Structures are given as structure tokens and as C-alpha cells.
Amino acid sequence: MSDDLHDLYQDIILDHNKRPRHYGALADYTHTAEGYNPICGDKLTIFLVLKEDRIEAVQFEAACCAICKASASMMAEVLIGKTLVEAEAAFKRVGELLSSELNLEADLSVDGEIAALAGVRKFAARIKCATLPWHTYIAALKG
Ligand code: ZN
């Protein structure tokens, strides 16, 4: 990865950490779950509004590190408006992004700004920070 791209990725993560999108509890949710990553101490709660097969709203609250908060913020942006099938595909692409073998071309196939998380791959302990929001989303779906 070039240094310029690395800086860009860093800026995106810092921006989402500083101004997380879709942050705050949601009163009228249909699904919710709490996630905890003991390695880092990240805690977050995901709130979903599902209407039939489509995700109408995603909000989250968190006491967590910058990587986790940025990942949750980007995840909310990506999931809103998707069907459950589309969301499952997005979840899989993020998992592939964070597994270390992929190249930049594959990184760019992920949704939205999530490619910015590719830098996390170099730090094995932080991968759980990035995946916690997604696993919590799945837990919320399963009730
Ligand atoms: Zn963390």
C-alpha cells in the first residue's frame, strides 16, 4: 500500500471516530444486541429496524477504541437500505477484507469506505475491534 493511500485510510478512520454516523440509541428498534471484545475492552450496542426483508435503520452506542467506532459507523452507513441478503454479502466481503491474503483490488470491492479498514490487517489484535460491530449485527439479527 502506498503511503498516500495509507494516509487516506487513516483520515477516514479518524473522521468516523470523531464524528460517528448513526450514533445513539434507537427507541423503536426491532432487533438489538450487545457486543464485547475482551482483548481491547470494546463494548457496543447495535439497534436495528427491520421491515420485512430490508434494513431501514441502524444505530449504535459504543464505549470502544477508534477502530471499533469507525467500523461501526461505516457499517451503519453500508447496511441501511440493504436487504438481508445484500447485508450478508457485505458482511462476507468485510471478513475477506480483514483476512490477510487479499490484495488491493479485492479491498476496493468492499462497500463504501470500509476499505479503509484494510490497514488493520497488519495488527492481528485489532482485527477483532474492526469485526465486533459486524458480529454484533449478526447477533442482533439472530435475537
Ligand atoms: Zn478496540
Side-chain angles (χ1 to χ4, degrees):
M1 193 183 299
S2 75
D3 283 349
D4 283 353
L5 194 56
H6 179 80
D7 289 347
L8 172 69
Y9 280 0
Q10 194 120 320
D11 285 349
I12 292 170
I13 289 172
L14 291 176
D15 181 58
H16 276 271
N17 179 53
K18 209 169 149 192
R19 300 185 300 115
R21 279 58 145 183
H22 310 288
Y23 191 85
L26 200 59
D28 296 325
Y29 61 82
T30 58
H31 296 69
T32 188
E34 286 177 26
Y36 177 53
N37 168 20
I39 296 171
C40 179
D42 303 312
K43 280 184 189 166
L44 91 168
T45 307
I46 302 276
F47 305 90
L48 302 175
V49 178
L50 267 189
K51 203 165 186 185
E52 286 161 20
D53 219 25
R54 195 170 292 275
I55 301 166
E56 293 217 318
V58 180
Q59 292 268 132
F60 74 102
E61 280 192 320
C64 66
C65 70
I67 301 280
C68 179
K69 192 181 277 182
S71 177
S73 173
M74 293 188 272
M75 179 187 78
E77 286 199 316
V78 162
L79 289 181
I80 292 168
K82 278 195 167 39
T83 64
L84 290 178
V85 171
E86 291 165 347
E88 174 74 24
F91 171 73
K92 283 204 179 118
R93 286 194 292 273
V94 171
E96 284 163 8
L97 173 76
L98 293 170
S99 67
S100 56
E101 294 111 53
L102 291 194
N103 56 26
L104 189 61
E105 209 171 299
D107 292 356
L108 296 175
S109 75
V110 298
D111 300 72
E113 296 173 311
I114 287 176
L117 291 171
V120 171
R121 285 187 299 224
K122 283 181 283 182
F123 309 97
R126 309 307 299 276
I127 292 174
K128 283 218 161 75
C129 303
T131 56
L132 180 68
W134 289 89
H135 288 294
T136 309
Y137 156 73
I138 297 290
L141 275 189
K142 291 179 176 164

